[in-house]
Every structure is written in C-alpha cells, then in structure tokens.
Amino acid sequence: MDSQTPNAPEVYVDVREIPLAQPFSILISVCTEATVHEVRVDAIMPAHQHGLNYLPEVSALDEGMFRVDDLLFHMPGQWKLQADVDFSRRSVSYTSEITLK
Amino acid sequence: MKLWAAAALMTLPVAVNSEVLLSENEIQQTLSFGPWPPTYQPDPSNRVSSDSRAITLGAALFNYPGLSVDGAFSCASCHDPEQAFTTSEARALGRVPLNRNTPSLRNLAGLRWYGWGGKSDNLWAASLHPIIEEQEMAHSNESLKTAISESSYVADFESIFGNIRNQDPELVLVNTAKSLSAYLETLRTERTQFDSFRDALERGDLLAAATYPEAAQRGLKLFLGRGKCAFCHNGPAFSNNEFHDAGVPYFLSETEVDEGRFGGLNFLFSSAYTLDGEWNDDSAKIGSWAVRSVRRRHSDFGTFRTPSLRGVAETPPYMHDGSLIDLDAVVRHYSELDTERLHADGEAILSELSLSEQEIADLVVFLETLSYVTWP
C-alpha cells in the first residue's frame, strides 16, 4: 500500500478474490519492529463520492498481520482502500487502488 | 471488436444479418448476469427452510384470509400469484392506502435485505412484519395464535412445530412466518431469452448468440455502458441489493417524506427478528454481520433498495412509489433525470442520459428479454 508519510513502514495487502456486492476478507501485513496498536480500514469510490455501506472488522493476528472482514464493494469500478495504522507515537495512512469489474 | 457469426450467413437463413454486437469486455460483463437459475442453499436461520411440509403449509397460509385479523385479506390479495406476486396498483392497499408499490415476491431466497427500505435482514422477518403491522394484517400475537388454532391448518402446523397450545403466541407468530418464508423461497422467475443469449456466449456459440435480437443487444450495450445501469443492477439477479437515490421524489405530502433506507435501518435496529437476534435458528448466526456492521448515514434518507430486474416486464408500475407506469417511462426517467432532486452527498455518477428515441426503445427491448414473456 502507498503512503504520503516519509519513512513509513511498508504495508502490504493480500486480496485473493473480490466478489461484487458480496462480503470478502483481506489480510494486511505491517512490516515494522514497532508495536502496532490499531489498524482501521475503510474504502471509498472517488468518482462516485461514496464509501462502504458496512464498517469493516479488523482482527489482529500474529507478527504485524491483521485480518479484515466484512468488506463489501457494492458497485463495480475503482475503489480506494484506506488503512490507518497507529504506531506508538504516530498514525500513518496508506491507500491502495482496486478496480472491480 | 465485433464478433461476427459468419457461419450463420452461409447455413441458416434465419440468422442472416444477425451478429453479436458486444465487445469482448461487454461479453465478460454479460456473463456476470448468470447462470440462471442460481443454486440456493437452505436458509440456516429458518429450521423449516426447504421442509416440504412447511412449504405446503406456507403456500396454504399465503392464501389464507385468516392471517389478517378480521379475515379481510390474505398475503395473496396484495401479492397476487396471477400477477407475478404483485398487483397493478401504484401503491399497495392495506387497511389504508400505503406509501409504496407492492414488490414482487420472486427470487427472494438468500438476499441480504428485504423491502424497499431494507427493514428486514431475513425472509421470515419480512414475512412476519405484515402480519402484525396495524395498516396491513393487524394481528396481535394472541389473535394470530387463536386464528391458527381455529383454522383447518392447525394439524399441519402442529405436525411441523408441535402442539400449538404449548407455544407462546410470539413463537406461533415466528413459526407462521417461517412457514411462509419456506414457501416464498421456492418462488423463482423462469429462464429467459437473455439467459439463452448469455449461456450461448459462455459456450462460445456465436451462432446461437446471434439470434438474440439486435435491438436487445444495443439496449444491453447501453445498460452496461453509457446508461450506467449495471453499477447497481448487477449480478445474476440484476441487483446489488443495496440502497440508492434514483431521483424519484420521496415527499408523500408537503410535510411528510418516505424516509426509505433511513427509516428501514431505524426499524431494523429495533427489531427482535434479525439474524443477530434470538429467533435465528442458526447458532453460528451466518449473515448477521450485516446488521452489526451496516452504517447509518444521513444520505440513507430517501434511498431505496435496488430492485431485481428479473421478470421486470411483468410487474408494472415501477419505482418505490409506483409512479412510473411502464418500462418506457422508467427509461425516460433516467434519460431526463433531474439531478437537482438527487442527494448532494449521494451517488455522483448519475446524470441526465439524454437518450435518443431509438436508444430508449432498445433499452426497453433489452429489459423485456429479462422476463419469461417477451413482446415483439
């Protein structure tokens, strides 16, 4: 995932399959030695000026891994996935663009 | 790229001049509207889902006037099986004229939300609410128990659910609704001319696909492209089952509005009959994530659930208030969309389509091919 913050730790998103208008899950991995206190995930459709109809649920796994459930893209098109990662002294925002046909 | 059914020109006179007009990308999009019918799993939240005895009882109760407190009407009075499980009135007529068009009851199995405002997250709850709504069938739990106990269906009811005398009236209500739901799950629309076209494309049988009317293909191209219809009407049922502002006025009077999804969510969160509640028969509560995770927003005001387009030609009039009398009027509504009526913070891609008369006719022909009965 991309971030505008200088020296932001690398964050990767593992997306296997995204069914249109059906719930799906993703994995987010944060590559850092620092403690990650919280990860919040959301998504928007910039061209449509709306976001998700459901609040995703984030669960911490081991070693900087987080599972995100209850994501649902209810329209085809370009979505911008957003992840806000809270480290001990700062919060860093990441985005990743996903096009759903 | 156009894919020509060239072989048809040589061998089948009926297909002369026919062709598949879709691009490769459009063909891939078209495949996503099937296959039809889909396979359904029994509803885990309803222990009598797919039970043949419950289906039979539900069908009988659907037509039983005793489900209304005074025997005035049955479910079938508004959801007429002879009229695709709806009626031709713009707005439903309960004990008083209601605010919304009666939705058809086909293809309801497995949806995430039910009703124009999505006030139910399961089919048995959607079947239950009209029985106790004051403006509809107006039963209390107690009066319904009495009605079932004194009906000719009590033996069938007890063979499924046990002795009715030992059941709390609320349990009788829920059991009655779950029987109705078991029946409603069986109502499906038939395969259509569109499905034959879609399946031929999947097989790569362009000769067969090319028999789909060119006007319908042109309409489909508009549906997928400039019309932007497939943003909401997608998947095998042609619905994303979510909620949108389609520019239809939601003022009921100068001082009253139909709150749409906003009101639906308020109702949902106060309901005891959700998948997250104690009446769910599924201990795993599959599907309950939606009621727990759904967001409430001011922009829900006046949005309504995207209706399926399966069988759409059989169910005029259209929109949540039944204000558009036929498919031609619906297409013209979007062609001449008044964007001033849309939410300022709502869907940003809707715009006036300014379709030509030919394009309007093509879209109507396409929509008609989504019904079992089609017109030339």
Side-chain angles (χ1 to χ4, degrees):
Chain A
M1 301 184 77
D2 301 319
S3 176
Q4 302 286 325
T5 303
N7 302 316
E10 293 287 318
V11 169
Y12 297 94
V13 58
D14 183 358
V15 184
R16 297 292 166 86
E17 182 183 1
I18 301 179
L20 179 59
Q22 295 296 327
F24 65 97
S25 301
I26 62 173
L27 291 174
I28 286 180
S29 56
V30 184
C31 302
T32 179
E33 298 286 314
T35 301
V36 177
H37 293 286
E38 186 180 14
V39 174
R40 296 179 299 280
V41 173
D42 210 334
I44 59 169
M45 290 192 92
H48 297 238
Q49 295 179 15
H50 64 66
L52 297 171
N53 290 343
Y54 305 89
L55 183 66
E57 182 175 340
V58 181
S59 309
L61 305 176
D62 292 336
E63 298 178 352
M65 294 284 290
F66 295 82
R67 178 185 170 95
V68 185
D69 295 309
D70 304 345
L71 280 160
L72 188 145
F73 291 170
H74 62 281
M75 283 183 160
Q78 188 177 70
W79 287 83
K80 181 180 283 188
L81 186 70
Q82 303 169 322
D84 292 324
V85 182
D86 288 353
F87 301 98
S88 48
R89 293 181 183 173
R90 60 175 179 165
S91 181
V92 179
S93 296
Y94 297 83
T95 61
S96 184
E97 290 188 353
I98 298 172
T99 299
L100 181 61
K101 291 186 176 180
Chain B
M1 180 181 70
K2 291 180 179 178
L3 301 176
W4 290 74
L9 301 176
M10 302 296 294
T11 58
L12 289 177
V14 70
V16 167
N17 297 325
S18 295
E19 58 181 313
V20 174
L21 303 177
L22 308 186
S23 69
E24 279 287 3
N25 185 47
E26 288 167 335
I27 288 174
Q28 291 306 311
Q29 288 180 273
T30 301
L31 297 185
S32 71
F33 295 118
W36 193 265
T39 55
Y40 291 107
Q41 301 299 319
D43 175 2
S45 74
N46 178 2
R47 66 192 182 287
V48 298
S49 173
S50 298
D51 182 322
S52 60
R53 297 171 306 162
I55 293 169
T56 301
L57 175 61
L61 292 177
F62 186 82
N63 292 283
Y64 177 47
L67 280 202
S68 59
V69 68
D70 53 1
F73 46 85
S74 68
C75 307
S77 301
C78 294
H79 299 281
D80 183 357
E82 299 300 316
Q83 299 185 67
F85 292 88
T86 180
T87 59
S88 57
E89 283 93 12
R91 297 188 184 188
L93 184 62
R95 295 187 181 279
V96 296
L98 304 178
N99 294 330
R100 295 176 180 166
N101 182 248
T102 303
S104 177
L105 298 181
R106 295 146 339 146
N107 307 323
L108 295 184
L111 299 184
R112 189 162 49 247
W113 303 113
Y114 294 87
W116 284 108
K119 69 180 185 181
S120 301
D121 68 350
N122 66 80
L123 186 50
W124 48 269
S127 307
L128 181 153
H129 294 307
I131 299 173
I132 55 175
E133 288 281 353
E134 284 188 16
Q135 295 186 333
E136 298 185 52
M137 304 175 103
H139 263 301
S140 64
N141 296 349
E142 290 74 18
S143 66
L144 178 70
K145 178 174 178 176
T146 300
I148 298 291
S149 299
E150 295 176 352
S151 76
S152 59
Y153 304 112
V154 66
D156 294 331
F157 185 94
E158 291 186 328
S159 74
I160 301 167
F161 298 111
N163 191 326
I164 195 169
R165 282 175 295 181
N166 299 334
Q167 295 179 35
D168 181 87
E170 188 175 20
L171 177 58
V172 173
L173 171 68
V174 173
N175 286 338
T176 300
K178 287 181 175 174
S179 286
L180 288 167
S181 177
Y183 166 61
L184 295 177
E185 287 170 356
T186 68
L187 304 179
R188 312 252 199 279
T189 54
E190 303 287 336
R191 279 177 57 80
T192 66
Q193 194 176 13
F194 169 81
D195 295 307
S196 298
F197 172 65
R198 181 257 171 216
D199 291 355
L201 293 176
E202 186 172 52
R203 296 192 308 271
D205 185 351
L206 299 183
L207 188 64
T211 63
Y212 188 57
E214 290 194 2
Q217 293 191 56
R218 291 193 300 269
L220 172 57
K221 288 170 74 72
L222 281 166
F223 187 89
L224 298 171
R226 188 157 63 89
K228 301 174 182 172
C229 315
F231 277 116
C232 300
H233 293 284
N234 50 50
F238 288 85
S239 170
N240 64 358
N241 209 29
E242 290 294 326
F243 301 83
H244 301 278
D245 174 11
V248 177
Y250 48 89
F251 279 90
L252 300 169
S253 65
E254 287 188 4
T255 57
E256 193 180 10
V257 299
D258 186 334
E259 296 180 341
R261 179 56 164 164
F262 189 86
L265 282 176
N266 285 338
F267 187 99
L268 178 81
F269 292 134
S270 65
S271 173
Y273 308 112
T274 72
L275 293 181
D276 206 30
E278 64 183 49
W279 295 104
N280 183 348
D281 295 330
D282 175 22
S283 59
K285 294 191 173 180
I286 294 169
S288 61
W289 69 273
V291 66
R292 289 196 306 270
S293 302
V294 67
R295 284 171 154 157
R296 306 172 83 166
R297 292 169 301 203
H298 184 264
S299 58
D300 291 326
F301 224 91
T303 65
F304 297 90
R305 192 168 64 90
T306 307
S308 170
L309 298 181
R310 290 272 172 189
V312 67
E314 303 158 55
T315 61
Y318 301 104
M319 315 310 271
H320 74 271
D321 59 356
S323 59
L324 301 179
I325 61 169
D326 55 24
L327 290 175
D328 183 85
V330 173
V331 174
R332 287 182 192 280
H333 165 78
Y334 287 106
S335 181
E336 302 159 5
L337 188 70
D338 182 357
T339 54
E340 294 296 317
R341 282 182 171 161
L342 298 175
H343 278 294
D345 55 354
E347 179 59 63
I349 60 150
L350 285 177
S351 60
E352 185 179 347
L353 295 176
S354 300
L355 301 171
S356 69
E357 289 298 312
Q358 180 66 60
E359 289 172 327
I360 290 170
D362 289 344
L363 260 171
V364 170
V365 170
F366 164 66
L367 293 170
E368 288 176 346
T369 70
L370 303 179
S371 295
Y372 179 61
V373 177
T374 59
W375 291 266

